[in-house]
Amino acid sequence: MERSTIVRVHEGLHARPATRFVKLAKGFESDVELVKDGKAVSAKSSVKLMLLAVKENQEVTVRANGADAIEAIEALIGYLENPKAGLDDEAETQSPANDAGQEAAPAPAPQSATSAPGQTNGLRGVAASEGVAIGPAFAHFPPEIAGQGRMLLADEIAAEIDRFRAAVAAVQARMDRALAQDSLSAGDRGIVAALRDIAADDSLTDEAEKAIKGGNDAVSAVITAASTIAADFSAVDDHYLNARADDVHAVGRQICLVLLGQDDVSLENIPEGAILIADDIGAWDLARAPLKRIGGVVCGHGGATSHIAIIARSHGIPAVLGLGDQVNALRSAHEVALDGNTGHVIIDPDAATRADFAGRVEAAAKERAGLTAFKTVTPKRADGRVIEVAANIGSLEEIEAAQEAGAMGVGLFRTELLFMRHMHLPSEDMQAETYAALAKAFAPYPVIVRTLDIGGDKPIAGIEFPDEENPFLGWRGIRMCLDRPDIFKRQLRALLRAAVHGNVKVMLPMVADIDEVRRTRVLIDECAAELKAEGVPYATFDLGVMIETPAAVLIAPALAKEVAFFSIGTNDLTQYIMAADRLNPTVAKLNDVTNPAVMSAIELTAKAGISAGIMVGMCGEAAGRPDLIPAFIKMGLTELSMSPASIQRAKKTITAMVAGE
Ligand code: PEP
Ligand code: MG
């Protein structure tokens, strides 16, 4: 018996979702398979599932055979369609693969970067974790593990299988103990959990046992099995899955060490500030290492999405990975300097390079330390008026980063992702839950939710977009929403319901005509009346507009009388004022917010808002620029919303500005 569906698991069946799926499947006695593009694998092996490389929005079939086949299919299809429902361990850990997907990828290394003043003995690898470091070299090249190199006798095989199973159990137990420690950070916990899953997976154990039954000793069998599975991961057309090959090797190595009664070369004794140099470091080893002491990491293996990179980034350790065989040149180095922004590594730097790096390290450390102090600062103008420094986010997953940075609420919640992530338009309930969760997370600070701003350049399922010559000048944002009250009212109802749970404000994108605001108000009133009649709790919210069209700037005085706030969207405003497509690199020079034309549009907007007594904020990229913030504050803006990474620097800029006045 079988049933097909479209996968709604965000980012597909990567590490943790695959594990959850397997956990569910193992709860049924039926044989269960997942089929994609005609290829069927056991649904009870997370490795096999990951190797099937099932992505979000792909069609798959669940096939079950056995007494409880119907129940199995129902449960597994249910998970694929609605992964958040009914799983008690959903929040247990995050998928490390997903973590990688969500992290900002490090900037690619510029092709012509110079390594250091006057020094040429540099190497170049993947810039995997930003920052610069210089320190004593700590070479970590544990010896290769080799099997016994002899074939087992037939009567030795059963005992060797027992030995192998005991070693697997010991590794799993060790990983379980590590997971039970409170000291493990959430990110590292997810990584160790993924490794434990590989250690527990039938693919690895079956493959190894097959080799032992063929007469191989357990160590050789594990090396062969790990290499086979790692090769499969390397062959998949998905760089997150490619990085799992290193995990398989790491797990295989741990099993071998137990079999050999050896302990891995420990990182315990790494000196303070040392640069860890290795061909490869198992994520397992790195997660357990004294990370606070590690000044930097340089590796032959690994890329920007490998676990080493993820761990390094999340602990703020500069890293250059993927040096390949070049890393051997570092084996005998005494001192190493590395630049995690460009991918440069310098062996035994000369005096000038050393001084240069030492200066950069000191400046970066000073800046970092100085900025953290601004997390809890409430920046104020000279007259005491608070300037709200808020976050731009697009999903609930980003709440933590925004809070960590010290966001004073959300100045722009882009709702497009909510619509783009799903095969169908999101339901009112689902939207209401999302907006309520956002409001609760930041209360009493405001969260400004922007209504759907989608257009022909970013189509979504459930809305037919016409072909347009100029999508940026076409049917997008508020224009589309007003033409589709079925979609718009669902969002407005959800927002009214969410407003009960916190300080929700709503803003409209792409407004060019005052009538757009008035028609929206009519719909909001209709929605409120409906909710009232249905007995559904709701609360009213402040309605504002984005100022991102030249028309909105020019009618700002009239608009200001109709709304509670303005939020200037400099990204679009710049492209429309300058008639320079924000996506077209050939006109990038014109697409410049500092052009006097754009700056005076911002000033006009501020003047109109202030004289009408409403709040004027900004949520375009320019809001986070320390070089422009003083000008915006002088214009009278009292809210600046930006990506979480810019928040502390912005708070510092405002504070310094006031101090200097
Ligand atoms: C803007 O246009 O400045 C803005 C914040 O909106 P978006 O970048 O989502 O178009
Ligand atoms: Mg915009």
Side-chain angles (χ1 to χ4, degrees), residues 140-145 174 249-250 252-258 261-268 280-282 284-286 288:
H140 174 71
F141 290 87
E144 284 272 310
I145 290 177
R174 191 188 284 173
H249 281 304
R253 183 175 177 88
Q254 291 305 312
I255 299 171
C256 289
L257 286 169
V258 173
Q262 293 175 7
D263 234 337
D264 222 341
V265 179
S266 171
L267 292 172
E268 269 306 304
D280 191 12
I281 312 167
W284 163 243
D285 299 312
L286 193 57
R288 291 179 306 156

Side-chain angles (χ1 to χ4, degrees), residues 392 412 414 416 450 453 476 546 548 568-573 582 619-621:
N392 288 355
L412 168 61
R414 291 183 165 100
E416 294 75 62
R450 176 174 74 184
D453 182 16
R476 61 171 289 199
M546 291 194 68
E548 51 183 351
I568 305 171
T570 49
N571 309 340
D572 275 318
L573 186 61
R582 67 194 257 191
C619 61
E621 288 302 306

